Amino acid sequence: MKALKQMETLVTGLPTVKSEPAGRLIMGNPDEPWKSPFTQQGDCIIKKIGDYSDVFVKGFSKMPPDIKPIQGNLVLKGSTNSHALYGGKFQLFTSESHPEYVFLRVEEPTVLDHVTDLRTGNPAEHYAQWIPKGDYFYDGLKEYDHISEEQRRVLD
Amino acid sequence: MSEIEELTQEQKIKMEDYISKWTKIGTSTERLDRQAAEKAIRWAYKFASYNGDSVKISFYDSVDAAQKAAQEATGEKTKQSFMTPSLDSWWVGFYDFLLHEVVPEKQSEYREFLEECIPFYKNVFYIIAYDTHAFVSERPTSIKLDDQGRLHNYNGPAMEFSDGHKIYAINNTPIPAYIAETSPEDFTKDMFLKEKNVDFRRFITTKIGIEKTIELLGADVVDIYESDVGGRYELLMVDYTNTGEKRPYLKMINKSIGEFHIEGVHPSCKTVQEALNFRNGLRKFVEPENLS
């Protein structure tokens, strides 16, 4: 792997070509605040941080005090595809007191995409969505396995 | 690094040729040119500051055989790290195009890329590279792709090798063999309900059809909800153990690709909205801002 990455240095200095977006649909509006307190992309639910105790079973009125910034753009990794952030300006955090969640601070509108490869951003199955400026957390989608009588986060 | 604002019409047409050329390389089922592959691998080792002249290069009929040989040789039980140059050649194809069609005057500056790197990506399909030993797999004998170029076959292997090793995938997602090898009429309720992965369940539904899935499950529709955001939902009651006891499952559509999901919800759910509240961790029903 290391050798393959190094091979890209062989083309250092060559120009790039300005590319146009491939017409991929991005749902929502980058500058318009959400009317709903959450959005959903497949099994990835992004919920707003704020006073939504009447709506969410588990919510956060503000970012937990023990959040720590994490590198990268990965919100949720599936067995093959990932939900990740692109463009805009954002920071992801984890919290030791709430390890099952990922926290997002979006400072400039950012795209949540479903991709086959984090680096190339090749689109997978679910349409991309705009995440406007604000604080959010990732929550997992749930299902119930009647055969094993257990409630769990959706596996894909 | 500078940026070229616009390609000429001729360059745009030529770009299609390079896309086609590198797609053919990545999806080729021809036997490797082992002499060319060996030369390219020795160069890659030297490029990565290893001894390319002395590295041992072994060829195998499949990725599975190469993995097993590497495990045996190293004593490592875990899956070995590998590279798939021909399949990951998108960036090489781009610079191949650029140096031949856009800035050919720069070819002499990028001779190593053109003369060594391109042959490596062209001639090596799969390699597990240790310091002194490279385990190399032959190309597959068949590759099935969908119209977006993704590994894809609902009714058999998506990739097959000469030693019989098979890889199964739908929409590039690796799947268990039974989904592709079971005929639509042979799927059972048990197979569907015991599958824990929601994508695999969706592939079964797509393969046999949503109406047949409902029939297979013997499901009764007890509630319907038409959502402006998520489309039509149905709450199904399924005799999940064939004992007469029915449990709720939610039928919904993946709006991005138009395929159906059927997923279990908490036994207390009596309506679609209660089922959605359970799935989304909500106390009261609220539609999402978007659903994709």
Side-chain angles (χ1 to χ4, degrees):
Chain A
M1 288 295 179
K2 194 177 162 193
L4 277 183
K5 279 183 186 154
Q6 287 171 345
M7 283 185 201
E8 293 180 22
T9 61
L10 286 169
V11 290
T12 301
L14 279 171
T16 58
V17 176
K18 187 176 181 181
S19 60
E20 297 297 326
R24 182 162 159 72
L25 176 66
I26 303 176
M27 300 178 81
N29 185 325
D31 301 314
E32 204 170 285
W34 289 351
K35 295 181 183 74
S36 172
F38 76 104
T39 199
Q40 184 181 347
Q41 184 182 64
D43 57 338
C44 178
I45 299 182
I46 302 294
K47 293 179 173 173
K48 282 162 80 170
I49 287 180
D51 185 16
Y52 300 105
S53 55
D54 59 329
V55 180
F56 298 150
V57 173
K58 172 73 180 178
F60 298 90
S61 57
K62 56 184 181 184
M63 285 281 204
D66 65 342
I67 54 168
K68 287 186 179 156
I70 52 171
Q71 290 284 320
N73 60 340
L74 177 65
V75 178
L76 173 64
K77 174 129 188 65
S79 56
T80 311
N81 303 319
S82 301
H83 301 265
L85 299 176
Y86 293 91
K89 192 174 176 190
F90 61 86
Q91 178 64 54
L92 295 172
F93 302 89
T94 53
S95 157
E96 269 187 31
S97 55
H98 303 285
E100 67 274 41
Y101 299 102
V102 174
F103 298 87
L104 297 67
R105 175 155 289 153
V106 175
E107 292 175 27
E108 288 175 11
T110 295
V111 173
L112 174 71
D113 208 349
H114 187 228
V115 296
T116 57
D117 183 309
L118 282 178
R119 190 177 55 132
T120 61
N122 285 338
E125 292 189 326
H126 300 283
Y127 292 140
Q129 296 188 23
W130 282 109
I131 309 291
K133 185 179 173 184
D135 287 346
Y136 306 86
F137 68 101
Y138 149 76
D139 197 2
L141 192 67
K142 284 198 282 290
E143 73 165 337
Y144 194 91
D145 184 333
H146 293 292
I147 292 169
S148 58
E149 295 285 7
E150 64 171 358
Q151 176 179 306
R152 61 167 179 247
R153 283 189 172 181
V154 165
L155 304 171
D156 71 3
Chain B
M1 194 181 287
S2 60
E3 187 174 76
I4 293 166
E5 286 286 326
E6 195 165 2
L7 297 173
T8 64
Q9 194 56 34
E10 192 183 351
Q11 287 167 338
K12 284 179 185 172
I13 291 167
K14 284 278 185 189
M15 186 182 247
E16 293 301 318
D17 293 343
Y18 283 80
I19 291 170
S20 171
K21 169 187 168 182
W22 283 95
T23 303
K24 275 185 190 156
I25 289 170
T27 57
S28 170
T29 54
E30 287 178 15
R31 300 302 77 202
L32 289 177
D33 176 342
R34 292 193 178 189
Q35 206 174 353
E38 194 171 319
K39 181 170 179 281
I41 291 165
R42 293 197 187 285
W43 165 79
Y45 269 72
K46 285 178 193 167
F47 179 77
S49 304
Y50 289 90
N51 190 336
D53 292 327
S54 66
V55 63
K56 183 179 174 186
I57 300 172
S58 306
F59 289 90
Y60 299 89
D61 287 337
S62 70
V63 295
D64 186 54
Q67 280 280 351
K68 283 177 179 158
Q71 284 174 357
E72 201 170 303
T74 61
E76 292 175 15
K77 298 285 180 210
T78 53
K79 201 177 176 190
Q80 317 290 307
S81 292
F82 59 88
M83 307 171 196
T84 50
S86 296
L87 294 176
D88 294 326
S89 57
W90 55 273
W91 70 274
V92 178
F94 171 75
Y95 286 107
D96 185 16
F97 159 76
L98 199 72
L99 281 165
H100 286 98
E101 309 299 337
V102 184
V103 287
E105 68 278 9
K106 289 188 177 288
Q107 284 184 15
S108 58
E109 285 177 56
Y110 293 92
R111 199 163 289 282
E112 189 173 16
F113 172 76
L114 292 168
E115 294 177 2
E116 307 288 0
C117 186
I118 283 182
F120 177 75
Y121 276 80
K122 189 177 165 189
N123 291 298
V124 183
F125 174 75
Y126 177 100
I127 177 171
I128 301 166
Y130 281 93
D131 293 1
T132 57
H133 196 167
F135 300 83
V136 183
S137 169
E138 265 293 350
R139 293 194 183 105
T141 52
S142 79
I143 298 179
K144 306 275 189 203
L145 304 172
D146 66 5
D147 55 8
Q148 294 179 51
R150 301 178 298 186
L151 268 185
H152 181 85
N153 190 2
Y154 270 103
N155 299 304
M159 199 181 270
E160 202 163 359
F161 292 82
S162 64
D163 64 356
H165 178 62
K166 299 177 178 76
I167 292 172
Y168 295 88
I170 293 173
N171 305 341
N172 251 6
T173 302
I175 58 165
Y178 85 89
I179 294 177
E181 295 289 5
T182 303
S183 299
E185 58 274 18
D186 291 336
F187 278 98
T188 64
K189 183 198 282 191
D190 212 36
M191 288 162 86
F192 184 89
L193 294 178
K194 283 188 174 167
E195 179 51 68
K196 289 189 185 309
N197 185 299
V198 294
D199 281 341
F200 297 166
R201 247 181 278 143
R202 168 165 59 89
F203 294 147
I204 295 172
T205 301
T206 303
K207 179 165 177 168
I208 68 178
I210 186 63
E211 298 307 328
K212 176 81 166 61
T213 306
I214 302 290
E215 186 187 320
L216 185 74
L217 295 173
D220 300 325
V221 180
V222 295
D223 191 33
I224 295 171
Y225 173 66
E226 297 278 358
S227 162
D228 291 339
V229 183
R232 182 185 174 93
Y233 292 88
E234 293 178 6
L235 189 69
L236 311 176
M237 294 303 285
V238 175
D239 180 2
Y240 72 115
T241 51
N242 295 319
T243 58
E245 186 193 353
K246 295 196 170 186
R247 291 287 184 88
Y249 287 79
L250 190 62
K251 174 189 158 194
M252 65 212 111
I253 192 163
N254 175 337
K255 288 182 76 181
S256 300
I257 53 175
E259 293 183 357
F260 288 94
H261 283 265
I262 296 176
E263 295 174 19
V265 293
H266 196 273
S268 64
C269 296
K270 304 281 186 246
T271 65
V272 167
Q273 291 195 354
E274 285 176 6
L276 288 170
N277 285 352
F278 163 76
R279 278 169 60 76
N280 296 339
L282 304 178
R283 289 186 196 284
K284 70 175 183 186
F285 182 71
V286 179
E287 294 272 17
E289 180 72 16
N290 287 300
L291 177 58
S292 62

